[in-house]
Amino acid sequence: MVNDELDRVGTAVLLAAAPAGRGRAMDAASVLPALAAVPPSALTGTPVATVVELADPLDPQTVLTRLRAAATTPGPLAVYLAGQLQLDRRQHLPHLALARSTPTTLRYTGLPWHWLAAELAARRPGTTTVVADLVADPELWQRLRPAPGLLSLGPGPLLYGRVAPAPRRGGPATPEYLRHFATVWRTGARPPLSHLHAEAAAQGGEAEALFLTPPAGPAPAAVPVAVAVPGSSAGPHAGSGREVRDAAPPSGPVHGHAPVPVGDPGPGHPLPAAPGSALAHVPGTAPAPSLAPTTPAPAGPAPALPTGLAIPEPVAPAPAAVAPGPASVIAGPAPAMTGASSAAAVGSGTYGGGAGQRVVPGVVVPDPHPAILAAAQAGRHGEAVAVAVAWEQEALRRYGPRSQQAVHWMEVRADLARLAGEPARSCELWIAAAQARLGLSQEPGDPDVEGAVDRAHHQWEQIEDLARARGLGPALVALRQRVPGRKAGALAAVQRRLRP
């Protein structure tokens, strides 16, 4: 009954973004009038809906704030996205280019694709749909053609979309794929999203386009998808009743999707694995299992992780005034992750020997950490974050926010942010983890507390945006006053950088 009431109110986010001036490869905003003319109930599949519109936004933090607000709503969420993707030259990660983005400033002015994945990862199963009409710059397009899994949003959201190469000459491309959805909905018809996707794909326009679609059933082992969480889903459907349109943001996992290139067998059929995918099926081994937490099956062990995966442990040097801590909290199974880390295990709280398996009555679940790390090191940061968030939500559900299990997965997300080259986000999460550990009555000299503060300090030193660093500085100073660390001068180092 509660879910029925929640599912009556949906949220639709209409996001059209592209650089201004000569760098614009898609006239993304041109589809907004057509989408805005669609009844909100058609966009969300609910009788009542709120619509949030973002046209050519300037700042990635503004977009992130709106997406985060929409993602916290309990009802169905549909994100309609038009724009252009570019590859950050330093991190080699896909970003959605915003109005002020240029190839040299993309890292600071674009929206990282894995940010979108992270915000949608924790939502209730069966409530999130993304429909995207995108063009990709030449460098990113060369990477996407053999490995469309780079645009994975993780196990939760259903992703339908088209990605085409950016036009090399002439005017910018237009979002005709999304426009087809709007045109059909304005007639009053409410076909399933899969039908609309097929019709839009059949209309063509770009011979080389990749069309992204969720599989019809559980993802096959050869699909470059990290996880598949049991559940059911449905796209927007016919709605009736009172409609609410509101331009302001609201106040407050399902089968994994698999990008499908044109000409591939289609959903439900095996696709070639992405080159270098550590989670892809390895010949002669069992298929990669679901890594996200699931309800234990009544009998039988889960299949083992593929063998022969080389997962090097990343090493991050600490700043001069900070005592070096463990290199990574993702590189091994909890509780003894690496070095001094002693975070409690998620699940039953017990891991079996060196196999890294969580022991649950009636089922053995493979340790998710190696595959999460492998996904991150392969550049599939959204996928890695989505799996970590799913495990964190399971820990929160079972043990509550004031638990070692929940703190451990917060630390995993902090380390994933480091691997993605996001020191500010990593610092923010390490600060929160250190504060949580102190709140659990761990002593300031506890190795886990010191390690969290040292990592926060190290990541803070890597932040190039001085305004962002100053914003995190007071919280880090407060931590350093309580946890000075093993080497003298750490607090003074933070205070020196904060001086005008």
Side-chain angles (χ1 to χ4, degrees):
M1 177 64 73
V2 173
N3 282 350
D4 290 344
E5 290 299 319
L6 293 177
D7 289 342
R8 290 182 57 81
V9 182
T11 302
V13 176
L14 313 182
L15 172 56
R22 297 178 60 185
R24 177 165 295 196
M26 173 177 270
D27 185 10
S30 65
V31 77
L32 287 180
L35 288 172
V38 172
S41 60
L43 295 172
T44 62
T46 58
V48 182
T50 296
V51 178
V52 180
E53 183 175 306
L54 293 170
D56 287 325
L58 301 176
D59 178 46
Q61 291 296 331
T62 300
V63 179
L64 181 63
T65 299
R66 294 296 186 96
L67 287 173
R68 183 169 295 166
T72 60
T73 58
L77 171 64
V79 178
Y80 297 92
L81 173 61
Q84 66 189 71
L85 294 172
Q86 296 178 203
L87 195 69
D88 171 27
R89 293 174 177 175
R90 179 172 175 180
Q91 298 171 300
H92 302 289
L93 298 174
H95 286 57
L96 179 68
L98 303 184
R100 293 188 294 198
S101 297
T102 66
T104 55
T105 66
L106 183 67
R107 184 183 179 194
Y108 307 104
T109 60
L111 181 77
W113 186 258
H114 59 274
W115 282 16
L116 175 62
E119 294 306 319
L120 302 180
R123 287 185 47 79
R124 186 164 55 90
T127 63
T128 310
T129 304
V130 178
V131 182
D133 196 344
L134 305 163
V135 295
D137 70 6
E139 188 175 0
L140 179 57
W141 178 249
Q142 291 303 314
R143 290 172 178 252
L144 283 176
R145 291 184 68 185
L150 287 173
L151 296 184
S152 169
L153 291 176
L158 290 173
L159 174 60
Y160 294 89
R162 177 189 72 163
V163 185
R168 294 182 177 273
R169 61 182 62 88
T174 54
E176 297 305 318
Y177 172 83
L178 261 182
R179 196 183 306 277
H180 176 78
F181 283 63
T183 300
V184 172
W185 282 332
R186 289 173 66 184
T187 66
R190 300 293 183 265
L193 280 184
S194 58
H195 293 183
L196 285 172
H197 168 83
E199 291 173 1
Q203 289 184 356
E206 275 288 346
E208 291 186 281
L210 297 173
F211 287 92
L212 318 177
T213 180
V223 176
V225 178
V227 295
V229 181
S232 61
S233 58
H237 50 81
S240 60
R242 188 171 59 92
E243 300 169 355
V244 177
R245 183 175 295 269
D246 185 353
S251 57
V254 188
H255 297 306
H257 68 268
V260 179
V262 173
D264 279 349
H269 297 275
L271 297 172
S277 172
L279 303 182
H281 175 61
V282 180
T285 68
S290 171
L291 301 178
T294 60
T295 302
L305 281 171
T307 58
L309 302 183
I311 306 176
E313 180 176 308
V315 178
V322 183
S328 173
V329 298
I330 321 172
M337 298 298 297
T338 57
S341 178
S342 60
V346 172
S348 67
T350 305
Y351 277 76
Q357 293 179 330
R358 177 163 61 94
V359 180
V360 180
V363 68
V364 179
V365 181
D367 173 24
H369 297 83
I372 290 173
L373 177 60
Q377 291 179 330
R380 303 193 306 276
H381 296 287
E383 182 178 297
V385 170
V387 177
V389 169
W391 278 95
E392 184 178 9
Q393 291 298 309
E394 176 73 359
L396 290 168
R397 184 181 68 81
R398 292 194 180 196
Y399 305 104
R402 293 179 55 82
S403 66
Q404 295 277 357
Q405 292 89 343
V407 174
H408 165 68
W409 286 102
M410 186 189 302
E411 292 175 338
V412 169
R413 289 197 294 120
D415 217 22
L416 288 174
R418 175 183 68 82
L419 291 173
E422 297 181 23
R425 179 60 176 159
S426 181
C427 173
E428 184 179 42
L429 287 167
W430 279 119
I431 286 174
Q435 292 169 338
R437 289 193 176 278
L438 290 169
L440 291 172
S441 300
Q442 289 185 248
E443 295 295 327
D446 186 292
D448 289 336
V449 176
E450 285 189 338
V453 178
D454 286 348
R455 288 184 176 103
H457 190 160
H458 176 231
Q459 291 300 298
W460 185 76
E461 293 282 358
Q462 311 307 310
I463 300 173
E464 298 177 2
D465 184 344
L466 292 181
R468 188 82 173 101
R470 288 184 180 279
L472 292 169
L476 183 58
V477 167
L479 279 176
R480 274 301 181 205
Q481 289 171 340
R482 296 185 64 184
V483 188
R486 304 275 176 110
K487 294 187 69 174
L491 174 60
V494 181
Q495 292 172 329
R496 277 196 303 273
R497 192 182 182 200
L498 288 175
R499 289 180 191 143

